[in-house]
Every structure is written in C-alpha cells, then in structure tokens.
Amino acid sequence: MAPRLQLEKAAWRWAETVRPEEVSQEHIETAYRIWLEPCIRGVCRRNCKGNPNCLVGIGEHIWLGEIDENSFHNIDDPNCERRKKNSFVGLTNLGATCYVNTFLQVWFLNLELRQALYLCSSTCSDYMMGDGIQEEKDYEPQTICEHLQYLFALLQNSNRRYIDPSGFVKALGLDTGQQQDAQEFSKLFMSLLEDTLSKQKNPDVRNIVQQQFCGEYAYVTVCNQCGRESKLLSKFYELELNIQGHKQLTDCISEFLKEEKLEGDNRYFCENCQSKQNATRKIRLLSLPCTLNLQLMRFVFDRQTGHKKKLNTYIGFSEILDMEPYVEHKGGPYVYELSAVLIHRGVSAYSGHYIAHVKDPQSGEWYKFNDEDIEKMEGKKLQLGIEEDLAEPSKSQTRKPKCGKGTHCSRNAYMLVYRLQTQEKPNTTVQVPAFLQELVDRDNSKFEEWCIEMAEMRKQSVDKGKAKHEEVKELYQRLPAGAEPYEFVSLEWLQKWLDESTPTKPIDNHACLCSHDKLHPDKISIMKRISEYAADIFYSRYGGGPRLTVKALCKECVVERCRVLRLKNQLNEDYKTVNNLLKATVKGNDGFWVGKSSLRSWRQLALEQLDEQDGDADQSNGKMNGNTLNKDESKEERKEEEEELNFNEDILCPHGELCISENERRLVSQEAWSKLQQYFPKAPEFPSYKECCSQCKILEREGEENEALHKMIANEQKTSLPNLFQDKNRPCLSNWPEDTDVLYIVSQFFVEEWRKFVRKPTRCSPVSSVGNSALLCPHGGLMFTFASMTKEDSKLIALIWPSEWQMIQKLFVVDHVIKITRIEVGDINPSETQYISEPKLCPECREGLLCQQQRDLREYTQATIYVHKVVDNKKVMKDSAPELNVSSSETEEDKEEAKPDGEKDPDFNQSNGGTKRQKISHQNYIAYQKQVIRRSMRHRKVRGEKALLVSANQTLKELKIQADEPIADYAAMDDVMQVCMPEEGFKGTGLLGH
C-alpha cells in the first residue's frame, strides 16, 4: 500500500469504534494527522505528501548553501550580442529565409557591387533635416536599392552580432515561412536589381551588374551539307551545369559546351540549302564576367513522383579555375579563383538549411556564414568536411573521394562563385556614405542603450535574488512548528515561494476550505503545518488568506466523515440482511412497493451516495491562486448525478405517482424497507395499499380506444385503396394506359407515409391530408416536365387512377389538384399525342432547379471515390454493377442532415437518368426532397481498391499523386519541414514585379 494511503487509513482507523457524538479534540487532530512526529531533516530524501509536518523536498535545496549570482536571472549577458572584433555581422533567419541570407552575404563581400550601391541616389535627403536625422522618425527605405544600401551599411559598421533583414524581405514580398529555390531567387533578384539600377545616371552604378556578373555566349549551328554557320548571341549571369553522371566541375563545363547532333526529325533548316539538313549545335563562350557564378543543378524534376529531388552526389572543384580552354578567344585573363561556396544541407529539395563559405577579399580568410553565426576558418583555408557529414543518414552515406591540394569535393554545394584573378590588390577603402553612417550610428546608439538596460535588469535580478536567498535561509529554519502555536499553509504556495522562476503571489487558502469555511480534512495532504512566527512574516510580506490556525480544524466534517465511514462498514451487513428479507413472501398490506431496478443496484447507489457526501466539500470551494471552477457547470453535473442516483424513482409515473405497470415493481417487507430507508431517507414511499396513478389509468384507456380507432381507419382505407397499398396495377406515364385519358398525381411522400400507417396503425398517426404543394413552385406552377416525370423525377411522384382519386378526395384533405391529360391532335388519322398538365409547368422555376443541380454537381468537396489498379488491361469492376458508385451505406436524408452549413453533398448517387438530389431555392421543395428520397446502398469492398477523398477543384495530377502515396519520406533538417504542395515559386512577390 502506498505511504499516503497508509497514513489516511491510520488517521481514520478510530472511526470504526467511535460514534459521531463521541468525537473529541484528540480525534480531530488525529483525523488531520498533525499528531505525527515531524520528519527529521537529512533522513527524508523527498517530501512526505501525506504528512503536513514534512517540510523536506519542497524546493529548499536550491537556496541552502552558496549560490551562483547567474542563477538569479535568466537574462543573457548583453555583450554576447555585441559584434566581435575583426568579424562580420550575421543575419537573422526569419523562419525559412536562410537562402536569402547566404546570397546577401556573398553580394556584400563583392566590394565593387557594394561600392556601386553606396553611390546610388537615395530619397534619404528628404528624411534628413538640418544637421542630421530627425529623431522622432525611423528611417524607412523606399526602394530595393535603398534597402540593400542600408543593409550593407549595417553589415559593415554595426555593433550588433547580427541584424534583422525583415525590412528587405518584406519589401520583396517573400513568405518567411516558405523555403524557396535559392537558384531561382538569385536569378530573379539580379534581374530586378539590374532593372532598378538602369535608371541611375552614374554609368558605374547603372552598369555594375553587367560588369560584375554578365558574360556572353553564342549558340552556333553548323550545316553538315554546306558548312554554313549561324550564331545566336545571348547574355548569361550564371552557367547552369548538369552534374548527373559527373565527378568533376571541369567535366560539367565540358558537357555544357559539347556538340549536339541534329539528325532525323530534329534536323536543322539551312537557309543556304533551303532544306532540312543534318547539323551540329554547340555553345561558344565569347566573354566571361569578373564574377563567374556556376550553378550546379542539384535540384531536378523526378518524373516518377512529380516533384523535385536533390542529387546528393560528390562534385570535385579546385580553388583555381582556368577557363581559357573553354573560351573562343584565347590569350585573355581567364584564370579565376574560388571566392564562395553556397551549400544546401539536407537530402530533400523541399527542406534543409542553406549556408555559405565566403572568402574575405581583403584578408583572404575564409568564413562560414550560418544566419546569425559567423565562424572564421582556421589557417585561411576552405573547410567543407563538417557540412558533408550532415547530408544523409549514416547507413546511406557514400565514401568521399580523395581530394588533392587546392581541390575540394562536396555533395551539398549548389553554387560556386569564382572571381577573376588579378595582380592588383582589391580596393580596401569602401566607405559608407555619410547619411548611411549616420543611420548606422543611430542604430548603434539604440543597441548600446539596450545593452545598458539589460545590464541594469540583470543587476536588479541579482539584488532581488540575494534578498530572497537571505529570506529563505532565515525563514526555512523557523518553518517547523514543533510544540508552539501553528498554522496551515498551502504546499503549492510554499513551493512557489521557493521557486526562483516565478514571482510570489499572495497566499490563497480558499481551495482547502470545506463548506463550513474551515480546513477540510481531505485537503490536509496538500497543506503544511508551519510555526505561527513564520506565518506572521509570510502574511505581512505577501498578504492573502484566510489564515488557518488550530481553530480552523473542522469538527463538523470529522463527525460527518465518522458517520459515513460507519455506514460504509455497516453496508455489507445490511446488504446481506436485505437480501434475506427479500426472499420472504409479503402478506397482507404491510409491504411497500420498490422498483426492481432500484433493488438490483441499491448497494451501489448507497456507496455512491456516501462518496458524494464526502465530495460535496470539494465542490463548495474551487479556488487556488486565482484559478476558479465554473460553478454553473459543477451544479449541472451534480444535478445530473442526483437524477441518476435517486432511489425508487424508477416506479414513478410522469405525474409523480405510482406507475400502473406491476412488472417494474415488487413488494418488500416493512423491515426491509426500513433498512433501505436508512440509506435513502428521501426516496418516494408507496405502501402496498397505495393506488396507482388515476391520470395514467385514464390515459391508458384513451390510448386503447385510439389504437382501436386507428385500426378501424386503417382497415377502411386499405379496403378503399387496395391497389395503392399493395403497389399493384399502377399506371405509368411512359406506357400510358389505353382505358383513360386522365391521370392524377400525388407526392410519393404521401403514399409512403400512408402505407406506414396502414401497416402499423398503432405506432403511426393517421394521414389526414395530401400535400401536393411540395410539387409546386411558389407561383403555383408544376416543377416537373412530362419527360422528367417519366425518368429522373418518377421517384418523386405517384400516379393515381381516376377512380382512386375520387376515393382519395373523400378520405383526405387535398390542398392542390394535379392531373395529366392526354389529347389527340389532328382531325384525320391523328399522328401526335400531347400531354397537358394542370397546373402548367413554371419554366423559370424549372430552369432555376436545373441550374442549381448542375452547380452542385460541380461544386463538391470531400467526395469519396474508389480507385483500383488495373493490371494487364483487365477490368477490375464490372460495368453491370453501377451500385458500386455509391460511397456510403447511410440514407440520403441522414447524409444531408450530417452536412455542415454551406457544404455541398459530394455523393453521386445515380438512378435512372443519373440525376442527384440537389437543393433548389424553394424551401417546400427542399423539405419534400429530404423526406422522399431514401436510398441505402452499401459500397461493396473490392480487394486491392483504395478509397480517396477528392474535391471538384482537384487536378488529375494531384489525384494520381494522392493515389500513389506514399511518394517519399523527406527528413527535416534545420529548417521546418515544408509540406509538398503545388509549387507557386515567387508568384506574387516583388521579384516578379518588374
């Protein structure tokens, strides 16, 4: 047995022998378990929850002894956010913007591009005033160039360890939670930047993108017949290199420039030969830029899955790249040196993390840029080893090829940036313009103010912590009460007082009170007994209440608990006694009526009732440190429980008297009833001579008379309309009977309800009227054509013979008469038959109904379809089983009622003409359709098929992908895993605005 249960049983063991009126103060203290010896510190390793005297393990260990000052606060040293000397500034990752951060750092370390951007004209002059910047306004860049200017100025001279690029990202309209294609971003942004700078007057600024990144190549086609050569010149800002099947960067470049043969259907039309000829086509590099961007095409489209995938293959590249063998004009400066490697860490094209290794053009040192963190590579060398270890799980890792001096291998590098090698030293004097420097200085001032504020907050937290430390060391030694006066305080409050992470709130003991506003005996397990000295200090410093002294021990609750426990012990004996008494036959009028259900469960009801009496105090006060219980909800729950626990109410009639059914009750003796009444004093009492409810007797007689009347009416109507009841010899519009020219129409709903009544007249109410208004529109016109009533709408109507119609008019009240008349057209040899309805068709409402039906067919969501894979062109499902199209066993009425408002019914249940029950604009017709159409057709499961939920706006490609799932198991890396949805790319962003 658990220690807590042992303590509780020991505390109440005396109740088995002591009567409630004999309870003394000693018994009360025993019930509250305050007679136990206090726990000895050093012996208890954890808190004794059942012992109010145990004050060990409540959180005091963190305060005893010497404490480090840093434990008094959770504020990091603000100097950790300060930029280190001779280091670069990082960029905050706003969610999934690491791909943007890598390119920003690469472009920032392009000194020529940075210098040109600083020279761009800016609207900051409007922001300036007098001697400097307006203090009351924050600078907001207006154009992409201004955002880039300000961002580069902060990266150059900010005192922060990292800066926030949210202004730049917001100006581009990028989704910070969606990871995009980094290569596509680079292309689009360079195009946007070039277009923006083209409006600048300074040629060095206007042409900086072309000067730095733009090269030229030609598509050359040579005719094999005449040797004629045609060229198509084109500019490029990066070379897109295929890496499939290659191991070295030079092999990728060679494949990019290799000849392609144009033969067969792909022959080239030669203008010189004036006919299609075999030819060769290749790319010739005409000029190369200062900064050569080589895009390694790691992300390719997988035709099998319909999504992109990443090629995690190793590609070797050198730090020095000689491009002279690949250009048309030899002898130029074509030796490049590696300046940046952009890396994607992760195995999936839809998730992962982007970082960049960039070489400082001024010092020649390599740095790793990982969002906020900037790491300097040791020995001024490029090191990619740690990035390769995170590429894929260890089981599928391939061995890394050996690399010689000055060469590297990577399976994560997706872009290589090479700079033209020159003898001249790079320009080391890129100065930030004065207006930008003033903005940077202002931001640095805000940062310094923040550092001072954080340092002050740290100091205040340390001072408070030291004061709390002294308070705990002083008071904790005085907490044990011993023999001196004592009080009770909540254990939860003491733990929060000792918790350094939360501020101490006022003491709140309301949750521990009983219905008499004293300490409840059952709450002693969550209370602690402390000295009056410590309690006085607590209440003076923190306030709260109510104070629970020795007078707060509740004698009433202890006496009640004693009574309940004695009843529980006596219940077993009384149960046996009552069972024996029930075996005896009751004679005369000495017995009492008791419900059979109550007799079967009276012992359980008694136990639950006794337990409920113990739990009443728990519901009386539900407040602890500001958390209050919903009293209305607790009252409702208790009311429901009371209704379930009422004894002998199972023989009450609706009028509160004895029910008339003797099968639900039995007589018990006077002695047995007395025993039961001890546990259920409020139970309804019915002596054996008690008469049954007179009102129920009258209602019973009336019910019998009504049943007889219903049977008589049903027999009369069944005799009057025998064919309509048996559904025999019914007329049909498609095969009009020869012996009549007039047929009448009623709703099928009326016929079904009438048949139900005739079959079971005692369970159903008589049908008194024929409601044909459901078949008419609000204008009084018919909603169906003659053709539709022979096909799809035939399920909604019932045709009546003229003789039957006369009988229906006698038996029922008819609101509207609807009939179809057949007439012959022509004087001699009539060749055409016409059918005229009364009332006539309403064309407008009919057209509206059809439009609504077609609209609902197109606008469905969450429809269930069944897909089965076809092997060897064999049909899996037979055409002769159209019922397999039905996707549920529920009735149409149930489905319609289960749909939320505004949601269309997705199920396509077909019958005859294939129409589907749809909503129309007329409420009568809607209600009628809900009542009439009742189909229950279960889909028969076919082995190997798959159920899919589809909607009207889903494409065939999406359906195929859904049917073929699972496609792949993409592992999430540093960034959040992106759901593989249809790609939108940079649609709707500022990158496409130009």
Side-chain angles (χ1 to χ4, degrees), residues 845-864:
C845 295
R846 176 65 182 177
E847 184 179 358
L849 170 62
L850 295 177
C851 291
Q852 183 65 38
Q853 289 177 342
Q854 293 299 321
R855 188 181 303 112
D856 290 345
L857 285 173
R858 295 190 301 266
E859 299 177 0
Y860 61 89
T861 58
Q862 297 295 304
T864 303

PDB file of all heavy atoms in Angstrom, residues 845-864:
ATOM      1  N   CYS A 845     -38.904  28.598 -62.751  1.00  0.00           N
ATOM      2  CA  CYS A 845     -38.513  27.808 -61.569  1.00  0.00           C
ATOM      3  C   CYS A 845     -37.879  26.483 -61.980  1.00  0.00           C
ATOM      4  O   CYS A 845     -36.970  25.987 -61.308  1.00  0.00           O
ATOM      5  CB  CYS A 845     -39.717  27.568 -60.677  1.00  0.00           C
ATOM      6  SG  CYS A 845     -40.390  29.080 -59.936  1.00  0.00           S
ATOM      7  N   ARG A 846     -38.379  25.900 -63.089  1.00  0.00           N
ATOM      8  CA  ARG A 846     -37.777  24.664 -63.573  1.00  0.00           C
ATOM      9  C   ARG A 846     -36.330  24.885 -63.994  1.00  0.00           C
ATOM     10  O   ARG A 846     -35.439  24.091 -63.665  1.00  0.00           O
ATOM     11  CB  ARG A 846     -38.588  24.123 -64.760  1.00  0.00           C
ATOM     12  CG  ARG A 846     -38.004  22.875 -65.419  1.00  0.00           C
ATOM     13  CD  ARG A 846     -38.002  21.701 -64.482  1.00  0.00           C
ATOM     14  NE  ARG A 846     -37.395  20.526 -65.097  1.00  0.00           N
ATOM     15  CZ  ARG A 846     -37.204  19.365 -64.476  1.00  0.00           C
ATOM     16  NH1 ARG A 846     -37.580  19.215 -63.215  1.00  0.00           N
ATOM     17  NH2 ARG A 846     -36.638  18.353 -65.107  1.00  0.00           N
ATOM     18  N   GLU A 847     -36.082  25.993 -64.700  1.00  0.00           N
ATOM     19  CA  GLU A 847     -34.715  26.302 -65.126  1.00  0.00           C
ATOM     20  C   GLU A 847     -33.812  26.573 -63.929  1.00  0.00           C
ATOM     21  O   GLU A 847     -32.660  26.143 -63.886  1.00  0.00           O
ATOM     22  CB  GLU A 847     -34.737  27.510 -66.053  1.00  0.00           C
ATOM     23  CG  GLU A 847     -33.370  27.855 -66.615  1.00  0.00           C
ATOM     24  CD  GLU A 847     -33.424  29.048 -67.560  1.00  0.00           C
ATOM     25  OE1 GLU A 847     -34.537  29.568 -67.796  1.00  0.00           O
ATOM     26  OE2 GLU A 847     -32.356  29.454 -68.041  1.00  0.00           O
ATOM     27  N   GLY A 848     -34.339  27.275 -62.924  1.00  0.00           N
ATOM     28  CA  GLY A 848     -33.553  27.514 -61.711  1.00  0.00           C
ATOM     29  C   GLY A 848     -33.201  26.237 -60.987  1.00  0.00           C
ATOM     30  O   GLY A 848     -32.096  26.077 -60.465  1.00  0.00           O
ATOM     31  N   LEU A 849     -34.121  25.285 -60.960  1.00  0.00           N
ATOM     32  CA  LEU A 849     -33.850  23.998 -60.339  1.00  0.00           C
ATOM     33  C   LEU A 849     -32.731  23.261 -61.058  1.00  0.00           C
ATOM     34  O   LEU A 849     -31.808  22.729 -60.437  1.00  0.00           O
ATOM     35  CB  LEU A 849     -35.129  23.161 -60.339  1.00  0.00           C
ATOM     36  CG  LEU A 849     -34.975  21.689 -59.938  1.00  0.00           C
ATOM     37  CD1 LEU A 849     -34.476  21.573 -58.506  1.00  0.00           C
ATOM     38  CD2 LEU A 849     -36.292  20.943 -60.108  1.00  0.00           C
ATOM     39  N   LEU A 850     -32.786  23.230 -62.400  1.00  0.00           N
ATOM     40  CA  LEU A 850     -31.757  22.535 -63.164  1.00  0.00           C
ATOM     41  C   LEU A 850     -30.396  23.196 -63.001  1.00  0.00           C
ATOM     42  O   LEU A 850     -29.370  22.513 -62.885  1.00  0.00           O
ATOM     43  CB  LEU A 850     -32.156  22.497 -64.645  1.00  0.00           C
ATOM     44  CG  LEU A 850     -33.421  21.689 -64.976  1.00  0.00           C
ATOM     45  CD1 LEU A 850     -33.747  21.804 -66.455  1.00  0.00           C
ATOM     46  CD2 LEU A 850     -33.252  20.233 -64.587  1.00  0.00           C
ATOM     47  N   CYS A 851     -30.364  24.527 -62.992  1.00  0.00           N
ATOM     48  CA  CYS A 851     -29.088  25.241 -62.805  1.00  0.00           C
ATOM     49  C   CYS A 851     -28.487  24.932 -61.439  1.00  0.00           C
ATOM     50  O   CYS A 851     -27.275  24.730 -61.318  1.00  0.00           O
ATOM     51  CB  CYS A 851     -29.299  26.746 -62.966  1.00  0.00           C
ATOM     52  SG  CYS A 851     -29.686  27.258 -64.650  1.00  0.00           S
ATOM     53  N   GLN A 852     -29.333  24.895 -60.419  1.00  0.00           N
ATOM     54  CA  GLN A 852     -28.827  24.593 -59.075  1.00  0.00           C
ATOM     55  C   GLN A 852     -28.281  23.170 -59.010  1.00  0.00           C
ATOM     56  O   GLN A 852     -27.256  22.905 -58.378  1.00  0.00           O
ATOM     57  CB  GLN A 852     -29.948  24.778 -58.061  1.00  0.00           C
ATOM     58  CG  GLN A 852     -29.522  24.551 -56.613  1.00  0.00           C
ATOM     59  CD  GLN A 852     -28.520  25.587 -56.152  1.00  0.00           C
ATOM     60  OE1 GLN A 852     -28.621  26.759 -56.503  1.00  0.00           O
ATOM     61  NE2 GLN A 852     -27.539  25.164 -55.382  1.00  0.00           N
ATOM     62  N   GLN A 853     -28.950  22.233 -59.691  1.00  0.00           N
ATOM     63  CA  GLN A 853     -28.472  20.859 -59.693  1.00  0.00           C
ATOM     64  C   GLN A 853     -27.117  20.747 -60.377  1.00  0.00           C
ATOM     65  O   GLN A 853     -26.211  20.067 -59.876  1.00  0.00           O
ATOM     66  CB  GLN A 853     -29.489  19.965 -60.407  1.00  0.00           C
ATOM     67  CG  GLN A 853     -30.769  19.747 -59.613  1.00  0.00           C
ATOM     68  CD  GLN A 853     -31.786  18.925 -60.368  1.00  0.00           C
ATOM     69  OE1 GLN A 853     -31.707  18.791 -61.592  1.00  0.00           O
ATOM     70  NE2 GLN A 853     -32.753  18.367 -59.659  1.00  0.00           N
ATOM     71  N   GLN A 854     -26.950  21.430 -61.521  1.00  0.00           N
ATOM     72  CA  GLN A 854     -25.667  21.387 -62.224  1.00  0.00           C
ATOM     73  C   GLN A 854     -24.574  22.058 -61.406  1.00  0.00           C
ATOM     74  O   GLN A 854     -23.427  21.601 -61.375  1.00  0.00           O
ATOM     75  CB  GLN A 854     -25.804  22.069 -63.597  1.00  0.00           C
ATOM     76  CG  GLN A 854     -26.706  21.334 -64.560  1.00  0.00           C
ATOM     77  CD  GLN A 854     -26.196  19.933 -64.865  1.00  0.00           C
ATOM     78  OE1 GLN A 854     -24.994  19.712 -65.008  1.00  0.00           O
ATOM     79  NE2 GLN A 854     -27.115  18.979 -64.971  1.00  0.00           N
ATOM     80  N   ARG A 855     -24.909  23.136 -60.731  1.00  0.00           N
ATOM     81  CA  ARG A 855     -23.917  23.835 -59.916  1.00  0.00           C
ATOM     82  C   ARG A 855     -23.446  22.965 -58.767  1.00  0.00           C
ATOM     83  O   ARG A 855     -22.254  22.900 -58.447  1.00  0.00           O
ATOM     84  CB  ARG A 855     -24.513  25.141 -59.388  1.00  0.00           C
ATOM     85  CG  ARG A 855     -23.488  26.037 -58.682  1.00  0.00           C
ATOM     86  CD  ARG A 855     -24.115  27.320 -58.159  1.00  0.00           C
ATOM     87  NE  ARG A 855     -24.764  28.070 -59.231  1.00  0.00           N
ATOM     88  CZ  ARG A 855     -26.088  28.244 -59.319  1.00  0.00           C
ATOM     89  NH1 ARG A 855     -26.876  27.715 -58.393  1.00  0.00           N
ATOM     90  NH2 ARG A 855     -26.610  28.923 -60.314  1.00  0.00           N
ATOM     91  N   ASP A 856     -24.367  22.268 -58.130  1.00  0.00           N
ATOM     92  CA  ASP A 856     -23.993  21.390 -57.019  1.00  0.00           C
ATOM     93  C   ASP A 856     -23.153  20.209 -57.489  1.00  0.00           C
ATOM     94  O   ASP A 856     -22.304  19.699 -56.755  1.00  0.00           O
ATOM     95  CB  ASP A 856     -25.240  20.879 -56.301  1.00  0.00           C
ATOM     96  CG  ASP A 856     -25.939  21.987 -55.532  1.00  0.00           C
ATOM     97  OD1 ASP A 856     -25.309  23.045 -55.336  1.00  0.00           O
ATOM     98  OD2 ASP A 856     -27.102  21.811 -55.145  1.00  0.00           O
ATOM     99  N   LEU A 857     -23.399  19.745 -58.721  1.00  0.00           N
ATOM    100  CA  LEU A 857     -22.580  18.660 -59.254  1.00  0.00           C
ATOM    101  C   LEU A 857     -21.139  19.098 -59.438  1.00  0.00           C
ATOM    102  O   LEU A 857     -20.213  18.308 -59.295  1.00  0.00           O
ATOM    103  CB  LEU A 857     -23.150  18.188 -60.593  1.00  0.00           C
ATOM    104  CG  LEU A 857     -24.433  17.333 -60.529  1.00  0.00           C
ATOM    105  CD1 LEU A 857     -24.965  17.086 -61.924  1.00  0.00           C
ATOM    106  CD2 LEU A 857     -24.163  16.016 -59.834  1.00  0.00           C
ATOM    107  N   ARG A 858     -20.929  20.368 -59.761  1.00  0.00           N
ATOM    108  CA  ARG A 858     -19.572  20.865 -59.999  1.00  0.00           C
ATOM    109  C   ARG A 858     -18.876  21.304 -58.728  1.00  0.00           C
ATOM    110  O   ARG A 858     -17.655  21.297 -58.655  1.00  0.00           O
ATOM    111  CB  ARG A 858     -19.609  22.047 -60.984  1.00  0.00           C
ATOM    112  CG  ARG A 858     -20.069  21.706 -62.375  1.00  0.00           C
ATOM    113  CD  ARG A 858     -19.843  22.863 -63.329  1.00  0.00           C
ATOM    114  NE  ARG A 858     -20.548  24.057 -62.902  1.00  0.00           N
ATOM    115  CZ  ARG A 858     -21.766  24.392 -63.330  1.00  0.00           C
ATOM    116  NH1 ARG A 858     -22.406  23.612 -64.175  1.00  0.00           N
ATOM    117  NH2 ARG A 858     -22.350  25.500 -62.901  1.00  0.00           N
ATOM    118  N   GLU A 859     -19.599  21.711 -57.713  1.00  0.00           N
ATOM    119  CA  GLU A 859     -19.013  22.314 -56.515  1.00  0.00           C
ATOM    120  C   GLU A 859     -19.121  21.356 -55.331  1.00  0.00           C
ATOM    121  O   GLU A 859     -19.795  21.626 -54.348  1.00  0.00           O
ATOM    122  CB  GLU A 859     -19.713  23.631 -56.199  1.00  0.00           C
ATOM    123  CG  GLU A 859     -19.586  24.679 -57.295  1.00  0.00           C
ATOM    124  CD  GLU A 859     -20.366  25.944 -56.977  1.00  0.00           C
ATOM    125  OE1 GLU A 859     -21.006  25.974 -55.897  1.00  0.00           O
ATOM    126  OE2 GLU A 859     -20.337  26.884 -57.790  1.00  0.00           O
ATOM    127  N   TYR A 860     -18.449  20.233 -55.427  1.00  0.00           N
ATOM    128  CA  TYR A 860     -18.470  19.279 -54.324  1.00  0.00           C
ATOM    129  C   TYR A 860     -17.105  19.261 -53.647  1.00  0.00           C
ATOM    130  O   TYR A 860     -16.086  19.593 -54.237  1.00  0.00           O
ATOM    131  CB  TYR A 860     -18.832  17.877 -54.823  1.00  0.00           C
ATOM    132  CG  TYR A 860     -17.858  17.309 -55.823  1.00  0.00           C
ATOM    133  CD1 TYR A 860     -16.748  16.582 -55.411  1.00  0.00           C
ATOM    134  CD2 TYR A 860     -18.046  17.508 -57.185  1.00  0.00           C
ATOM    135  CE1 TYR A 860     -15.846  16.072 -56.328  1.00  0.00           C
ATOM    136  CE2 TYR A 860     -17.159  16.994 -58.111  1.00  0.00           C
ATOM    137  CZ  TYR A 860     -16.066  16.281 -57.678  1.00  0.00           C
ATOM    138  OH  TYR A 860     -15.181  15.782 -58.578  1.00  0.00           O
ATOM    139  N   THR A 861     -17.096  18.902 -52.382  1.00  0.00           N
ATOM    140  CA  THR A 861     -15.859  18.744 -51.613  1.00  0.00           C
ATOM    141  C   THR A 861     -15.955  17.466 -50.792  1.00  0.00           C
ATOM    142  O   THR A 861     -17.044  17.038 -50.400  1.00  0.00           O
ATOM    143  CB  THR A 861     -15.629  19.928 -50.660  1.00  0.00           C
ATOM    144  OG1 THR A 861     -16.762  20.036 -49.773  1.00  0.00           O
ATOM    145  CG2 THR A 861     -15.467  21.225 -51.420  1.00  0.00           C
ATOM    146  N   GLN A 862     -14.797  16.855 -50.557  1.00  0.00           N
ATOM    147  CA  GLN A 862     -14.701  15.662 -49.714  1.00  0.00           C
ATOM    148  C   GLN A 862     -15.602  14.523 -50.227  1.00  0.00           C
ATOM    149  O   GLN A 862     -16.296  13.854 -49.467  1.00  0.00           O
ATOM    150  CB  GLN A 862     -15.065  15.998 -48.267  1.00  0.00           C
ATOM    151  CG  GLN A 862     -14.123  16.988 -47.611  1.00  0.00           C
ATOM    152  CD  GLN A 862     -12.716  16.424 -47.457  1.00  0.00           C
ATOM    153  OE1 GLN A 862     -12.518  15.381 -46.859  1.00  0.00           O
ATOM    154  NE2 GLN A 862     -11.737  17.116 -47.991  1.00  0.00           N
ATOM    155  N   ALA A 863     -15.608  14.336 -51.542  1.00  0.00           N
ATOM    156  CA  ALA A 863     -16.341  13.206 -52.112  1.00  0.00           C
ATOM    157  C   ALA A 863     -15.464  11.953 -52.067  1.00  0.00           C
ATOM    158  O   ALA A 863     -14.252  12.034 -52.227  1.00  0.00           O
ATOM    159  CB  ALA A 863     -16.753  13.509 -53.551  1.00  0.00           C
ATOM    160  N   THR A 864     -16.076  10.822 -51.844  1.00  0.00           N
ATOM    161  CA  THR A 864     -15.340   9.562 -51.754  1.00  0.00           C
ATOM    162  C   THR A 864     -15.392   8.842 -53.101  1.00  0.00           C
ATOM    163  O   THR A 864     -16.471   8.611 -53.642  1.00  0.00           O
ATOM    164  CB  THR A 864     -15.940   8.661 -50.672  1.00  0.00           C
ATOM    165  OG1 THR A 864     -15.930   9.364 -49.424  1.00  0.00           O
ATOM    166  CG2 THR A 864     -15.125   7.385 -50.535  1.00  0.00           C
TER     167      THR A 864
END
